[in-house]
Amino acid sequence: MRLNKYMSDAGICSRREADRLVQEGKILVDGKTAVLGMQIEEGQEILVNGKAVQREEKKVLLLFHKPRGIECTADPRIKNNVISYIDYPIRIYYIGRLDKDSEGLLLLTNQGELVNKMMRAGNCHEKEYLVTVDKPVTEDFIKKMSNGVPVLGTVTRKCRVEKTGEKTFRIILTQGLNRQIRRMCEYLGYRVKRLKRIRVMNLELGDLPVGQYREAEEKELEDLKSLIQDSSETTVIRKKERRKR
């Protein structure tokens, strides 16, 4: 990486300003005066006016198409853990979970603040799934799934469910109970044969190949942060309304 880009990424100054500092002899690399256009490698000592430069770790948000059989855990003792599978060059962790038998969109990041905001937004954000079951989907099934099903000591929140084929349907949840869709289907006498998450809030799986990942685009990040803010405000309003009852 060029020295001026390194300086810019580190938040020290612009590339142009970095070049000016080099020309003025104010930057040392491993004790030697830097020169224009020089390349920098990790581990080298860089001083600007005698002060060490620490390059900030790049902030990322990855959209990963998790295959079936890969587990959402960072435990290296688990053979098919998602972190080892992706083998990303910097430390990342997943946001939410997708069970081992399911596939589709999984978000991973190294931005703790973003994770905290998404978790605080809680059950207000949408997650969309395509589901295949073991027998024909009926109107009664769609109605009951939409209105809520007793699982794990509660009744699931109302959600949007749409039949997409003889044995397939689309469901959009704003809730995240453990293995929720599978449990809902089991309660109604169905068994899930395939479950694929295709969207989390504004982030869509699209045609991302199985086992591959990509970085979120700038516009996607902007829209995500806006949705998180709206979700957080909705959560606060709901809590206030519950206190009044």
Side-chain angles (χ1 to χ4, degrees):
M1 177 184 292
R2 283 181 178 271
L3 175 60
N4 60 1
K5 185 177 189 308
Y6 186 97
M7 297 282 288
S8 176
D9 288 355
I12 303 300
C13 58
S14 67
R15 295 189 189 188
R16 181 176 296 179
E17 178 66 10
D19 287 340
R20 185 184 66 78
L21 292 171
V22 168
Q23 290 175 322
E24 292 176 358
K26 295 181 178 180
I27 301 179
L28 299 181
V29 178
D30 291 339
K32 297 180 180 180
T33 303
V35 296
L36 287 174
M38 73 181 299
Q39 296 290 321
I40 298 298
E41 296 180 0
E42 290 295 333
Q44 288 188 288
E45 182 186 60
I46 301 171
L47 301 179
V48 179
N49 293 323
K51 295 183 179 180
V53 173
Q54 298 293 331
R55 183 166 173 256
E56 290 186 7
E57 189 176 69
K58 179 183 178 182
K59 293 182 179 181
V60 298
L61 175 62
L62 304 182
L63 283 70
F64 172 54
H65 190 158
K66 187 189 92 64
R68 282 181 282 184
I70 299 299
E71 256 185 275
C72 284
T73 177
D75 189 340
R77 295 170 297 180
I78 304 298
K79 182 179 179 181
N80 291 320
N81 74 83
V82 67
I83 302 302
S84 295
Y85 182 92
I86 292 179
D87 194 27
Y88 199 69
I90 60 178
R91 184 175 178 271
I92 54 175
Y93 34 91
Y94 47 87
I95 306 175
R97 297 176 64 87
L98 199 54
D99 67 57
K100 183 177 180 179
D101 297 324
S102 300
E103 63 184 289
L105 181 59
L106 181 68
L107 305 179
L108 301 103
T109 188
N110 63 343
Q111 301 181 57
E113 185 179 355
L114 178 63
V115 175
N116 292 336
K117 286 181 178 179
M118 289 187 74
M119 293 300 103
R120 281 199 297 270
N123 293 331
C124 294
H125 61 255
E126 292 186 347
K127 298 175 286 288
E128 184 173 350
Y129 304 80
L130 300 179
V131 188
T132 302
V133 288
D134 62 339
K135 56 186 181 182
V137 173
T138 64
E139 290 303 317
D140 184 60
F141 171 83
I142 294 294
K143 182 178 180 180
K144 288 178 178 177
M145 288 284 286
S146 301
N147 289 327
V149 174
V151 298
L152 298 173
T154 186
V155 176
T156 57
R157 185 178 297 160
K158 288 186 177 182
C159 59
R160 283 184 277 167
V161 186
E162 173 192 2
K163 181 176 179 178
T164 56
E166 183 185 9
K167 297 181 180 180
T168 60
F169 65 93
R170 179 193 312 271
I171 182 169
I172 300 175
L173 299 179
T174 56
Q175 201 170 11
L177 302 176
N178 180 255
R179 297 173 68 86
Q180 180 172 342
I181 296 173
R182 295 180 187 276
R183 293 178 189 275
M184 291 170 73
C185 289
E186 287 170 5
Y187 180 84
L188 297 174
Y190 286 72
R191 182 172 62 86
V192 171
K193 298 184 67 176
R194 185 179 183 187
L195 193 154
K196 181 178 182 180
R197 183 159 65 197
I198 61 171
R199 179 172 64 88
V200 175
M201 301 180 81
N202 65 301
L203 302 172
E204 299 184 2
L205 182 65
D207 57 3
L208 185 65
V210 176
Q212 300 295 309
Y213 63 81
R214 68 172 178 86
E215 292 188 16
E217 298 174 359
E218 187 174 339
K219 180 64 165 58
E220 289 176 316
L221 283 171
E222 290 175 1
D223 291 345
L224 176 64
K225 290 175 182 177
S226 177
L227 286 170
I228 290 171
Q229 179 63 32
D230 291 344
S231 295
S232 297
E233 291 173 357
T234 299
T235 300
V236 171
I237 292 172
R238 285 178 175 173
K239 286 181 179 178
K240 288 181 179 178
E241 288 177 345
R242 283 199 294 267
R243 291 195 194 104
K244 292 178 181 179
R245 291 172 185 170

